[in-house]
Structures are given as C-alpha cells and as structure tokens.
C-alpha cells in the first residue's frame, strides 16, 4: 500500500511506525507539513495516489488544518478532521464524552476571571484548571486555595493569549496515584498502561512510571464508547480510577488523537506499532474498496 | 558504497565537529547532539544536514 505520513517532527513513535510499515513492504510518502501549501482544491503535498494518510502532526493547529484540507480533496485521513477537532480541545472533548454518557470529571468553562472564580469556589479546593489546548500536562494547575486561584486567574487573564481566557475548571479526582492510558483502534484496545507518580500529574511526559495494565470489561466498554464519542480512529483514551485502584470504576478525562505509543510499547508485551500498522492496513483496504464501489456505481449510471 | 549499518557522519551545526548519527536516521528526526546536548533536526540526508530543532510550541502534544 502507499501510505502518507503527515509530520513535522519524527519522534521515536513515528520511527517505530515507519519501520514497521516499510518492513511490510508498504511505500511511504513522508509529508512534512511545514514545507507544503494547501489551496482550496489542491496541495503541493504529493497525496494524489495515496491509499491513506496518517496524521502524526505534533502541532495541534497544523493537525487540525492539514487533515481538514486533505479530507476536502477526498484523501482518506486518519484520524479524521472531525475527530481531531473534538480531541484537540479539552472543552469539546469533555462535552463529547458527556453527550455520549461516558463518565468524565465534572467540568465548567467560564470566560472571565470572576466567573471562573465562581466555578472554582463551587467545586471547592483542590480543583483543577487546564488550558483548553495543550498536552503533556503543561500549564495545568491544581488549585489548593482561593489565594492561589486568584493569582493564577490574574496571570492567565493578563499574560495569556485568547485561548487562556477560556477557563476550563474541573473537579479534582482523587485517583490512586496513577492514571490509565489505553491505546485503541476504532474502540478496540491495543494495549494499556498505568502511569504512576507522587506528583498529581502522572503522565509519562512528566516522568510518571509506566506499567502494563490489564483492561477489564468496564474499561473496555468505556474505551469503546469514548472512541465512538469522538468519531473513532487511532486514539489514546485516558482514564482515572475512582474509588481506589481496585474499584473497577473509572472516569475518562480525555481522548488524544495523535497518540504517542513509544512508552506503551516499552511498558507492555504488545507490539504496538505492529498492531497500529495492522489497523492502518485494514483502513486503507476499506478506503480502497469504498473507492472501487463508488467507481462501480459510476459505471452503472453511465 | 554505503550500507544500512554504516554510521552516518554529519557536522554538528553549533560547534562544527563531526558527529556520528544512527545508521537508520530519518529526515525530520530529532537527534540530541552528543557534543552540546542541543536538539538537532535532520534536514536532509544526501548530503547530511543538521540544524537546531525548533523550540517547543504551546500547541504541541498528543
Ligand atoms: N481532574 C483531575 N484530577 C486529578 N488529576 C488529574 C485531573 N485531570 C488530569 N489529572 C492528572 O493530570 C495528568 C494530565 O492530565 P491531562 O491528560 O488532562 O493533560 P494533558 O496535558 O492533556 O496530558 P496528555 O495529553 O499527555 O494526556 C493526568 O495524567 C492525570 O494524572
């Protein structure tokens, strides 16, 4: 198959995936989004003959636009721009989960520091303030007191660009020192790990310790529904255990659409890049048969 | 003739020293400079050109 990879930085994750795809004999078109231009009906990127493009953009804004343009030319892109749109923004992400009935931490959005202060006071302390766009736990605040809240809100209002004036306030979830990352393809878990830390931010990017995690039925069900809620695809679903490590109850705090899998590959026995490549092959084959079905229809109507 | 296992040699863009890159290096890949510790981006492979990698931006991530 002929597979395009949208990127601006080849991380270990992309290297693993590229190696796996090449080993299987697929032809790869690496598309550095920084070098391309996208007009309303075509692009300088060489996408014409591709069976599928996989979006591995590190930059969320580039991911959002590049996938949208490619999809408008009729190129099959995973993940779809609609999925990127929901996952790229924590407020939209939370709404999609809630609308699908997936348990997710109680969240409020407010647009002024006064309204945000009211949200914070109504959650009580501690609670959490997150930027709507961002990752790896950056610029996230656990707010322990009214004094801290006032300082953070003032800083954000004064120093932040407009997105930081969308205040995303969330209940603090008393998790057992870890959270759970499940990588899934169209809702089917590929592998999962816990990320543990003494710090309240447990993500691997913040240096949390990773360990393989067995997905139970409840988590499996939530991953499937969370995936569906954002339109499916290759996703990283993040859950926190509520009521202790063995309670079997979870809340899903977000779904990531350009998921990293290097840490997961190291933490588990699963060959994650191989499972991802399997799925890409299935998606590319499905896209090809859709195309030929469309061609058949044309032949009939002519 | 180069083979897949030959190390790739490149000039460190800050100090000008010659450094060795892994044999399977890719265009677009980020390498930690063995000399300065700086993140370097592989701009091209033929010839091998390295540049200081872009700084982290706020919208980067998963
Ligand atoms: N409401 C919460 N209560 C307690 N801990 C939380 C809460 N939300 C997030 N965390 C912790 O903070 C970490 C980062 O949260 P979150 O995933 O929302 O941020 P992020 O910057 O989008 O990270 P990434 O994209 O890498 O997953 C989580 O791994 C979790 O340990």
């Amino acid at each position: 198959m002929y597979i395009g990879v949208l990127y601006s930085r080849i991380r270990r994750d992309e290297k693993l995936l590229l190696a796996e795809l090449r080993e299987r004999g697929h032809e790869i078109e690496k598309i550095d989004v920084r070098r391309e231009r996208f007009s309303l009906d075509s692009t300088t990127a060489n996408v014409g003959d591709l069976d599928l493009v996989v979006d591995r953009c590190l930059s969320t804004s580039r991911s959002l636009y590049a996938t949208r343009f490619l999809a408008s030319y009729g190129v099959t892109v995973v993940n779809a721009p609609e999925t990127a749109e929901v996952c790229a923004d924590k407020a939209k992400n939370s709404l999609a989960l809630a609308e699908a009935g997936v348990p997710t931490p109680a969240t409020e959005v407010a647009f002024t520091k006064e309204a945000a202060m009211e949200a914070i006071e109504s959650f009580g302390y501690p609670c959490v303030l997150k930027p709507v766009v961002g990752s790896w736990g950056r610029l996230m605040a656990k707010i322990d007191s009214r004094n801290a809240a006032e300082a953070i809100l003032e800083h954000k209002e004064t120093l932040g660009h407009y997105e930081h004036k969308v205040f995303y306030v969330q209940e603090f979830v008393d998790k057992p020192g870890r959270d759970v990352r499940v990588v899934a393809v169209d809702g089917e878990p590929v592998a999962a790990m816990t990320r543990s830390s003494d710090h309240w931010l447990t993500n691997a990017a913040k240096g949390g310790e990773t360990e393989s995690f067995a997905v139970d039925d409840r988590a499996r069900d939530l991953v499937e529904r969370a995936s569906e809620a954002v339109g499916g695809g290759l996703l990283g679903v993040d859950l926190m255990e509520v009521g202790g490590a063995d309670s079997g109850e979870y809340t899903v705090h977000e779904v990531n659409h350009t998921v990293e899998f290097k840490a997961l590959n190291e933490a588990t026995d699963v060959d994650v890049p191989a499972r991802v490549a399997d799925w890409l092959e299935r998606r590319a084959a499905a896209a090809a048969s859709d195309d030929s079905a469309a061609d058949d229809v044309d032949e009939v109507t002519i | 003739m180069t083979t897949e296992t030959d190390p790739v040699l490149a000039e460190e863009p800050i100090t000008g020293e010659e450094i060795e890159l892994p044999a399977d290096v890719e265009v677009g890949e980020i390498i930690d400079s063995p000399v300065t510790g700086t993140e370097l981006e592989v701009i091209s492979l033929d010839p091998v050109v390295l540049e200081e990698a872009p700084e982290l931006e706020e919208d980067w991530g998963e």
Side-chain angles (χ1 to χ4, degrees):
Chain A
M1 245 145 348
Y2 188 20
I3 296 178
V5 179
L6 280 183
Y7 79 99
S8 57
R9 187 180 248 238
I10 301 289
R11 292 165 283 187
R12 190 82 203 120
D13 311 78
E14 283 72 44
K15 265 203 108 164
L16 290 168
L17 186 59
L18 288 169
E20 181 67 33
L21 291 169
R22 287 186 183 126
E23 218 163 90
R24 295 176 181 213
H26 298 304
E27 196 182 335
I28 303 294
E29 184 73 29
K30 277 165 65 188
I31 304 169
D32 182 344
V33 286
R34 295 169 301 176
R35 307 198 192 290
E36 307 301 345
R37 304 190 325 262
F38 300 87
S39 82
L40 300 182
D41 54 9
S42 63
T43 169
T44 51
N46 189 14
V47 294
D49 297 324
L50 297 177
D51 292 305
L52 176 108
V53 170
V54 50
D55 170 28
R56 296 297 306 170
C57 285
L58 187 59
S59 143
T60 303
S61 44
R62 291 169 183 162
S63 159
L64 287 171
Y65 286 104
T67 57
R68 176 65 74 193
F69 274 95
L70 293 189
S72 89
Y73 312 141
V75 176
T76 305
V77 195
V78 293
N79 291 322
E82 294 77 15
T83 298
E85 174 101 31
V86 175
C87 295
D89 181 305
K90 285 195 165 53
K92 294 178 188 170
N93 214 316
S94 298
L95 266 180
L97 292 170
E99 280 165 5
V102 176
T104 192
T107 301
E108 284 188 24
V109 166
F111 305 117
T112 61
K113 71 177 198 284
E114 291 73 24
M117 195 64 220
E118 283 172 25
I120 290 168
E121 292 268 297
S122 78
F123 278 117
Y125 302 99
C127 65
V128 174
L129 186 66
K130 302 183 183 182
V132 282
V133 174
S135 192
W136 301 327
R138 282 168 306 154
L139 298 175
M140 301 207 359
K142 178 182 171 201
I143 303 178
D144 290 315
S145 68
R146 189 180 170 98
N147 282 336
E150 284 171 351
I152 294 163
L153 293 176
E154 188 176 351
H155 277 83
K156 277 174 112 50
E157 198 168 68
T158 312
L159 302 174
H161 63 69
Y162 73 94
E163 268 169 351
H164 287 283
K165 287 153 195 138
V166 179
F167 298 102
Y168 176 101
V169 185
Q170 191 164 70
E171 69 171 306
F172 181 77
V173 176
D174 189 14
K175 60 189 182 298
R178 65 183 202 182
D179 76 341
V180 179
R181 156 62 58 89
V182 183
V183 166
V185 288
D186 288 333
E188 175 70 27
V190 165
M193 65 182 177
T194 54
R195 307 177 290 189
S196 310
S197 171
D198 293 337
H199 198 279
W200 76 278
L201 295 168
T202 58
N203 358 14
K206 287 276 175 191
E209 296 244 340
T210 57
E211 203 178 314
S212 175
F213 179 78
V215 178
D216 55 38
D217 289 345
R218 177 74 180 144
R220 181 178 289 275
D221 172 59
L222 292 179
V223 166
E224 189 181 330
R225 284 160 54 202
S227 166
E228 206 178 295
V230 302
L234 167 62
L235 299 167
V237 182
D238 291 345
L239 308 93
M240 288 184 276
E241 294 148 297
V242 287
D246 299 312
S247 68
E249 277 309 314
Y250 303 90
T251 183
V252 178
H253 57 287
E254 72 167 349
V255 184
N256 297 282
H257 77 289
T258 48
V259 63
E260 292 171 338
F261 44 78
K262 175 188 65 116
L264 185 64
N265 196 48
E266 283 161 11
T268 66
D269 294 336
V270 179
D271 186 343
V272 180
R275 298 289 78 76
V276 171
D278 289 344
W279 177 75
L280 288 175
E281 286 172 347
R282 292 201 297 275
R283 287 296 293 258
S289 74
D290 280 356
D291 280 353
S292 64
D295 291 347
D296 289 350
V297 172
D298 282 346
E299 274 162 29
V300 173
T301 49
I302 281 167
Chain B
M1 215 188 90
T2 56
T3 69
E4 286 233 332
T5 49
D6 281 343
V8 179
L9 298 175
E11 183 179 310
E12 214 281 352
I14 302 160
T15 65
E17 277 171 68
E18 184 164 271
I19 58 172
E20 215 174 90
L21 307 180
D24 64 348
V25 69
E26 289 264 354
V27 170
E29 195 175 341
I30 305 297
I31 307 277
D32 290 326
S33 165
V35 187
T36 58
T38 316
E39 280 194 324
L40 303 175
E41 179 178 344
V42 181
I43 302 295
S44 70
L45 281 180
D46 194 17
V48 184
V49 177
L50 302 175
E51 272 178 15
E52 271 188 74
E55 296 270 339
L56 179 116
E57 303 250 11
E58 206 177 310
D59 73 331
W60 286 11
E62 296 187 78

